[in-house]
Amino acid sequence: MSKPSRSSDTLKFQMFASVCMRKKKDDSILEIPSIPNPFPELCCSPFASVLSASLLPKATSRKKQVIKVYSEDDTSRALEVPSDITARDVCQLLILKNHYIDDHSWTLFEQLTHTGLGRAIEDHELVMEVQSNWVMEEENKLYFRKNYAKYEFFKNPLSFFPDHMISFPSETNAAVSHSGILQMFLSSSTYPEIHGYLHAKEQGKKSWKKLYFLLRRSGLYFSTKGTSKEPRHLQFFCEFSNSDMYMSLTGKKIFGAPTNYGFCFKPNKSGGTRDLKQLCADDEQSRTCWMTAIRLLKYGMQLYQNYMQPYQARSGCSPLNVTPMRSISENSLVAMDFSGHRSRIIENPTEALSVAVEEGLTWRRRGCLRLNSHGSPIAMSNMAIHRSQSWFHHKISREEAQRLILQHGLVDGVFLVRDSQSNPKTFVLSLSHGLKIKHFQIVPLEDDGKLFYTLDDGHTRFTDLIQLVEFYQLNKGVLPCKLKHYCARIAL
């Protein structure tokens, strides 16, 4: 007698379950007997409290949507995320998926292509709310990139708020410390006044008018009579609770702005460019001051909480003195000498540095040797060794270099290296310092049949661009500051 097949038993069970379900539907009084728990010991397990209701899947899970995020090289990645995900959570998700090092500078950017506007989305903002304000016909994008200046004003506020643009309440002492400025911005009782000239685009017109503006807790005002601050001469310009602040990326081209330092306010439910309140500063320092102060005014302590969040897990650390975490590999490096019969740890820093330099030169000499089609070693040109580096950008213009550095944040030491547009044989180091972008020409120099590169007319020479960049990452030399953060075109 053959045994009943497993498929027949499954079919019988499905038929039985179907009959029971119909019976329950027809007669609400009769219910299916509860099935005994096959693992009763789990009910009293000491680990039962770990599986709390918050960790278990809910019967009604959060609604999920698909978003598309772009990188600098315009590659994109589609992500299925819950509807209440924040910008910081999206960045953390992309960091994990792409195995990047989290140095707390990754940011989600919103770019409005039709109007040429862009902004860094705050870490606490809901991404779906940001997208809900988009017009369907416009091809707006979310970008994932680094922004080193996101919370830089917490570390060095005096660089962001120059003396000639900030005034303190009369009851405040004349001398205000670094932390004192931030405490006033975050306080609910006092608030510094930001003032200065800005170009404002007249509503419904193409013309711009230069006016004296004042930023107070109640909003942004301009004076109808010179620099007068009397209430009868002040006219309300806008407030920020129902609008977002954007940086103008192409203000001169689209709106005829008088300078390249434009920013504007866009209502959350804007009907188009006619609702934009556009302003334009005379220089980058002025624009940075206005935009930073408005961010602090709008979000207040929330910005400080966003800044503090990565450091909250570390006890006893002052966030104003904390530097970004290094990778595990950097923390585990030990200087070793393997030249003798027995290996030893190099404790003298000077000796360790000289050994490292010598090993680096040896590595370069080996790396520049390749085999030709006949199996013989050939020397590889030093001009090609830098092309694989993340900081090198091939054939981009001066304007494109400035745009990339601006997007990564005008923090001292943000840099990239590019081909020179005016001289094909030279290169250019573009560097951010003092809220300005400066360009330094890297000149090739031939001596005794060997090719070198220099920034200081041959006083300091380097065999290739990698050696040059590594030197100026450790030494300021002729530059205004060391090279700290490079602009890279990441791929998602």
Side-chain angles (χ1 to χ4, degrees), residues 148-149 284 401-402 404-416 429-440 479-485 487:
Y148 299 106
E284 185 58 53
Q402 294 183 162
L404 279 173
I405 294 178
L406 183 62
Q407 288 175 347
H408 283 75
L410 292 183
V411 175
D412 289 357
V414 177
F415 75 98
L416 61 85
L429 171 67
S430 299
L431 173 66
S432 170
H433 179 258
L435 296 178
K436 295 180 180 180
I437 300 174
K438 303 176 181 179
H439 306 272
F440 302 89
L479 300 176
C481 64
K482 296 178 184 178
L483 307 181
K484 297 179 182 178
H485 312 291
C487 299

Coordinates of all heavy atoms in Angstrom, one line a residue, residues 148-149 284 401-402 404-416 429-440 479-485 487:
Y148 N 31.2 70.1 3.2 CA 32.1 70.3 4.4 C 31.7 71.5 5.2 O 32.1 71.6 6.3 CB 33.6 70.4 3.9 CG 34.1 69.2 3.2 CD1 34.3 69.1 1.8 CD2 34.4 68.0 3.9 CE1 34.7 68.0 1.1 CE2 34.8 66.9 3.2 CZ 35.0 66.9 1.9 OH 35.5 65.8 1.2
A149 N 31.0 72.4 4.6 CA 30.6 73.6 5.3 C 29.3 73.6 6.0 O 28.8 74.6 6.5 CB 30.6 74.8 4.3
E284 N 31.0 86.6 -1.7 CA 30.6 85.4 -1.1 C 30.5 85.4 0.4 O 29.7 84.8 1.0 CB 31.7 84.3 -1.5 CG 31.3 82.9 -1.0 CD 30.0 82.4 -1.6 OE1 29.7 82.4 -2.8 OE2 29.1 82.0 -0.7
A401 N 35.1 74.1 -12.1 CA 35.8 73.8 -10.9 C 35.3 74.7 -9.7 O 35.2 74.1 -8.6 CB 37.3 74.2 -11.1
Q402 N 35.0 75.9 -10.0 CA 34.5 76.8 -8.9 C 33.1 76.3 -8.4 O 32.8 76.3 -7.2 CB 34.4 78.2 -9.4 CG 35.7 78.8 -9.6 CD 35.6 80.3 -10.0 OE1 36.6 81.0 -9.9 NE2 34.5 80.7 -10.5
L404 N 32.0 73.1 -8.5 CA 32.2 71.9 -7.7 C 32.7 72.2 -6.3 O 32.2 71.6 -5.3 CB 33.2 71.0 -8.4 CG 32.8 70.1 -9.6 CD1 33.9 69.4 -10.2 CD2 31.7 69.1 -9.1
I405 N 33.6 73.1 -6.2 CA 34.1 73.5 -4.8 C 33.0 74.2 -4.0 O 32.9 73.9 -2.8 CB 35.4 74.4 -5.0 CG1 36.5 73.6 -5.6 CG2 35.8 75.0 -3.6 CD1 37.8 74.4 -5.8
L406 N 32.2 75.0 -4.7 CA 31.2 75.7 -4.0 C 30.1 74.7 -3.5 O 29.6 74.8 -2.3 CB 30.5 76.7 -4.9 CG 29.4 77.5 -4.3 CD1 29.9 78.4 -3.2 CD2 28.7 78.4 -5.4
Q407 N 29.8 73.6 -4.2 CA 28.9 72.6 -3.8 C 29.4 71.8 -2.7 O 28.6 71.3 -1.8 CB 28.6 71.7 -5.0 CG 27.7 72.3 -6.1 CD 27.5 71.4 -7.3 OE1 28.2 70.4 -7.4 NE2 26.6 71.8 -8.1
H408 N 30.7 71.6 -2.6 CA 31.3 70.9 -1.5 C 31.5 71.7 -0.2 O 31.9 71.2 0.8 CB 32.7 70.2 -1.9 CG 32.5 69.0 -2.8 ND1 32.1 69.1 -4.1 CD2 32.6 67.7 -2.5 CE1 32.1 67.9 -4.6 NE2 32.4 67.0 -3.7
G409 N 31.3 73.0 -0.3 CA 31.4 73.9 0.8 C 32.7 74.7 0.8 O 33.8 74.1 0.7
L410 N 32.6 76.0 1.0 CA 33.7 76.9 1.0 C 34.4 76.9 2.4 O 34.4 77.8 3.2 CB 33.3 78.3 0.7 CG 32.9 78.5 -0.8 CD1 32.6 80.0 -1.0 CD2 33.9 78.0 -1.7
V411 N 35.0 75.7 2.7 CA 35.8 75.5 3.9 C 37.3 75.6 3.5 O 37.7 75.1 2.4 CB 35.5 74.2 4.6 CG1 36.4 73.9 5.8 CG2 34.0 74.2 5.0
D412 N 38.1 76.1 4.3 CA 39.6 76.2 4.0 C 40.1 74.8 3.7 O 40.0 73.9 4.6 CB 40.3 76.8 5.2 CG 40.1 78.3 5.3 OD1 39.3 78.8 4.5 OD2 40.6 78.9 6.3
G413 N 40.8 74.6 2.6 CA 41.4 73.4 2.3 C 40.6 72.5 1.3 O 41.1 71.4 0.9
V414 N 39.4 72.9 0.9 CA 38.7 72.1 -0.1 C 39.4 72.3 -1.5 O 39.6 73.5 -1.9 CB 37.2 72.5 -0.2 CG1 36.5 71.7 -1.3 CG2 36.6 72.2 1.2
F415 N 39.7 71.3 -2.2 CA 40.5 71.5 -3.4 C 40.2 70.4 -4.5 O 39.6 69.4 -4.2 CB 42.0 71.4 -3.1 CG 42.5 70.0 -2.8 CD1 43.2 69.3 -3.8 CD2 42.3 69.4 -1.6 CE1 43.6 68.0 -3.6 CE2 42.8 68.1 -1.4 CZ 43.4 67.4 -2.4
L416 N 40.7 70.7 -5.7 CA 40.8 69.8 -6.8 C 41.9 70.2 -7.7 O 42.4 71.3 -7.7 CB 39.5 69.7 -7.5 CG 38.9 71.0 -8.2 CD1 39.5 71.1 -9.6 CD2 37.4 70.9 -8.3
L429 N 45.7 73.9 -9.7 CA 45.2 73.5 -8.3 C 44.2 74.6 -7.9 O 44.5 75.8 -7.7 CB 46.4 73.5 -7.3 CG 46.0 73.3 -5.8 CD1 45.3 71.9 -5.6 CD2 47.2 73.5 -4.9
S430 N 42.9 74.2 -7.8 CA 41.9 75.1 -7.4 C 41.6 74.8 -5.9 O 41.3 73.7 -5.5 CB 40.6 74.9 -8.2 OG 40.8 75.1 -9.6
L431 N 41.7 75.9 -5.1 CA 41.7 75.8 -3.6 C 40.7 76.8 -3.0 O 40.7 77.9 -3.4 CB 43.1 75.9 -3.1 CG 43.3 76.0 -1.6 CD1 42.9 74.6 -0.9 CD2 44.7 76.4 -1.2
S432 N 40.0 76.3 -1.9 CA 39.1 77.2 -1.2 C 39.9 77.7 0.0 O 40.4 77.0 0.8 CB 37.8 76.5 -0.8 OG 37.1 77.3 0.2
H433 N 39.8 79.1 0.2 CA 40.4 79.6 1.4 C 39.8 81.0 1.7 O 39.7 81.8 0.8 CB 42.0 79.8 1.3 CG 42.6 80.5 2.5 ND1 43.0 81.8 2.5 CD2 43.0 80.0 3.7 CE1 43.5 82.1 3.6 NE2 43.5 81.0 4.4
G434 N 39.4 81.2 2.9 CA 38.8 82.5 3.3 C 37.5 82.8 2.5 O 37.3 84.0 2.2
L435 N 36.7 81.8 2.3 CA 35.4 81.9 1.6 C 35.6 82.4 0.1 O 34.8 83.0 -0.5 CB 34.5 82.9 2.3 CG 34.0 82.4 3.7 CD1 33.1 83.5 4.3 CD2 33.2 81.1 3.6
K436 N 36.8 82.2 -0.4 CA 37.2 82.5 -1.8 C 37.8 81.3 -2.4 O 38.4 80.5 -1.7 CB 38.1 83.7 -1.9 CG 37.5 85.0 -1.4 CD 38.4 86.2 -1.5 CE 37.8 87.5 -1.0 NZ 38.8 88.6 -1.1
I437 N 37.7 81.2 -3.7 CA 38.3 80.1 -4.5 C 39.5 80.7 -5.3 O 39.4 81.6 -6.1 CB 37.3 79.5 -5.4 CG1 36.1 78.9 -4.6 CG2 38.0 78.3 -6.3 CD1 35.0 78.3 -5.5
K438 N 40.7 80.1 -5.0 CA 41.9 80.6 -5.7 C 42.5 79.5 -6.5 O 42.3 78.3 -6.3 CB 42.9 81.0 -4.6 CG 42.4 82.1 -3.6 CD 43.3 82.4 -2.5 CE 42.7 83.5 -1.6 NZ 43.7 83.8 -0.5
H439 N 43.2 79.9 -7.6 CA 43.7 79.0 -8.6 C 45.2 79.2 -8.7 O 45.7 80.3 -8.8 CB 43.0 79.2 -9.9 CG 41.5 79.2 -9.9 ND1 40.8 78.0 -10.0 CD2 40.6 80.2 -9.7 CE1 39.5 78.3 -9.9 NE2 39.4 79.6 -9.7
F440 N 46.0 78.0 -8.6 CA 47.4 78.1 -8.6 C 47.9 77.2 -9.8 O 47.5 76.0 -9.9 CB 48.0 77.6 -7.3 CG 47.5 78.3 -6.1 CD1 46.4 78.0 -5.4 CD2 48.3 79.4 -5.7 CE1 45.9 78.7 -4.3 CE2 47.9 80.2 -4.6 CZ 46.7 79.8 -3.9
L479 N 51.2 77.8 -0.4 CA 49.7 78.0 -0.4 C 49.2 78.7 0.8 O 49.9 78.7 1.9 CB 49.1 76.6 -0.5 CG 49.4 75.7 -1.7 CD1 48.8 74.4 -1.6 CD2 49.0 76.4 -3.0
P480 N 48.0 79.2 0.8 CA 47.4 79.9 2.0 C 47.0 79.0 3.1 O 46.9 79.4 4.2 CB 46.2 80.7 1.4 CG 45.9 79.9 0.2 CD 47.1 79.4 -0.4
C481 N 46.8 77.7 2.8 CA 46.5 76.7 3.8 C 46.8 75.3 3.2 O 47.1 75.1 2.0 CB 45.0 76.8 4.1 SG 43.8 76.4 2.8
K482 N 46.8 74.3 4.1 CA 47.0 72.9 3.6 C 45.8 72.4 2.8 O 44.7 72.9 3.0 CB 47.3 72.0 4.8 CG 48.5 72.3 5.6 CD 48.6 71.4 6.8 CE 49.8 71.7 7.7 NZ 49.9 70.9 8.9
L483 N 46.1 71.4 2.0 CA 45.0 70.7 1.3 C 44.3 69.7 2.2 O 45.0 68.8 2.8 CB 45.6 70.0 0.1 CG 46.4 70.8 -0.9 CD1 46.9 69.9 -2.1 CD2 45.7 72.0 -1.4
K484 N 43.0 69.8 2.4 CA 42.3 69.0 3.4 C 41.3 68.1 2.8 O 41.3 66.9 3.1 CB 41.7 69.9 4.5 CG 42.7 70.7 5.3 CD 41.9 71.6 6.3 CE 42.9 72.5 7.1 NZ 42.2 73.4 8.0
H485 N 40.4 68.7 2.1 CA 39.2 67.9 1.5 C 39.2 68.0 0.0 O 39.2 69.1 -0.5 CB 37.9 68.4 2.1 CG 37.9 68.6 3.5 ND1 37.9 67.6 4.4 CD2 37.8 69.8 4.3 CE1 37.9 68.1 5.7 NE2 37.8 69.4 5.6
C487 N 37.5 67.4 -3.8 CA 36.2 67.3 -4.5 C 36.3 66.0 -5.4 O 37.2 66.0 -6.3 CB 35.9 68.5 -5.3 SG 35.7 70.0 -4.3

